[in-house]
Amino acid sequence: MIEILYFAWVRERIGLPRERVDTRAATVADLVEELKLREARYAAAFADLSALRVAVDQDLTDFDAPLAGVREVAFFPPMTGG
Amino acid sequence: MKVRVQRAPFDFAAEAAAFGGAGAGAVVTFTGIVRDCEGSLQRMEIEHYPGMTERALTRIAEEASARWGLVGGLIIHRYGPLVPGEAIMMVATSAAHRAEAFAAAEYLMDYLKSRAPFWKKEIRSDGEAWVSARDADEQALTRW
C-alpha cells in the first residue's frame, strides 16, 4: 500500500487530499498510468506531466523514480513559496 | 538555523530583535508581504505539505549555513488564509560580513520560491486562481 497525496489544483481536480492505493507499479510513471485509467478526473489531472512535480517519501524526484519500499508519493504543481 | 512553519501571524520586529546577531558583524532580514497590485485581492490561501515543508526548509537552511559560514539563520513561513498587507514569511541571516549575510538571504529566498512545497491561491472579487510558478524563479536557481 502506498499513500498518495495531492496538493493545490491537483487535489481540487481529483477531489481528494490523499488516498491509500494498493499498487504493483514499479515507478511513479507506472503509478500515474494506473491512476489515469481509473476515472476521467485522474486522466484530467495527469494529462500534462510537465505541469506536475512529484515527491517520493517527501523528497522531490522525477517520474522515473522507483517505488520499491516507498510509503508516500505526492503530486502537485510547481511550488510557489516565498 | 531555525525553521518555523506556522498558521499564526508573527511579529517581525520581535523576531528580528530576538534573532540578535551576537558574534556576527552583519544581520540581514527580509519579509515577504501579501500584495494586491490590481486592487481586487480579498485574500490569499497558502497550502503546504506538512512534513516535507519542514524537511525542505531545513535542507535549504543547512545548505546556506554551510556555504556562507553563517553565525545564525531563521526562516518563518506561514500557511492558511492571509489578507493583503500581512507578512507571509521572513528570513534572517547573520554572518561575519554583509556580503555573506546578503548572499545567504537571497539564496534562501530563491530556494523557498521554487523548492519548498507551498502553493498560493488568490481569492479575488472576480474569482479565484492558483498562482503559477514563474520561469524567472526557476531560472534564479541557476545562479547558485
Side-chain angles (χ1 to χ4, degrees):
Chain A
M1 296 289 275
I2 289 182
E3 185 91 12
I4 308 184
L5 294 89
Y6 308 107
F7 292 96
W9 61 254
V10 184
R11 169 179 56 73
E12 290 179 339
R13 210 160 288 183
I14 290 174
L16 288 173
R18 57 168 63 210
E19 61 185 321
R20 285 178 74 78
V21 171
D22 193 3
T23 179
R24 291 193 182 170
T27 65
V28 173
D30 294 342
L31 176 63
V32 167
E33 288 311 308
E34 275 184 16
L35 292 169
K36 282 168 79 173
L37 291 174
R38 284 177 151 195
E39 279 179 58
R41 57 196 169 108
Y42 288 92
F46 291 110
D48 177 11
L49 292 189
S50 71
L52 293 179
R53 300 291 179 268
V54 59
V56 164
D57 285 340
Q58 304 191 351
D59 280 325
L60 267 187
T61 182
D62 51 48
F63 287 84
D64 298 330
L67 290 183
V70 164
R71 295 183 315 273
E72 190 171 297
V73 177
F75 296 103
F76 41 78
M79 296 160 274
T80 52
Chain B
M1 199 86 181
K2 285 184 194 154
V3 167
R4 273 162 46 200
V5 182
Q6 62 187 51
R7 192 178 180 95
F10 59 87
D11 180 340
F12 171 74
E15 295 293 348
F19 181 70
V27 174
V28 166
T29 59
F30 173 87
T31 318
I33 310 243
V34 180
R35 69 181 185 280
D36 180 15
C37 300
E38 295 157 41
S40 61
L41 185 68
Q42 293 172 335
R43 67 177 194 278
M44 183 176 266
E45 295 272 357
I46 301 181
E47 181 171 335
H48 82 115
Y49 182 173
M52 178 171 167
T53 307
E54 291 78 0
R55 194 177 156 94
L57 292 181
T58 300
R59 185 172 301 169
I60 293 166
E62 283 171 354
E63 173 68 26
S65 190
R67 192 152 163 185
W68 284 282
L70 298 182
V71 175
L74 171 69
I75 300 174
I76 302 176
H77 203 303
R78 294 179 61 195
Y79 61 90
L82 290 97
V83 296
E86 269 192 274
I88 303 175
M89 49 75 59
M90 70 171 283
V91 301
T93 56
S94 59
H97 305 286
R98 68 189 157 107
E100 288 76 21
F102 271 119
E106 286 218 73
Y107 174 94
L108 291 178
M109 287 311 306
D110 280 349
Y111 272 83
L112 270 167
K113 281 258 167 213
S114 40
R115 290 292 182 274
F118 290 99
W119 301 274
K120 296 186 181 116
K121 186 185 218 180
E122 291 179 342
I123 290 92
R124 298 186 171 278
S125 43
D126 55 355
E128 52 183 62
W130 291 97
V131 174
S132 302
R134 295 163 57 227
D135 289 341
D137 290 336
E138 189 64 34
Q139 272 299 315
L141 300 187
T142 60
R143 67 177 168 145
W144 306 109

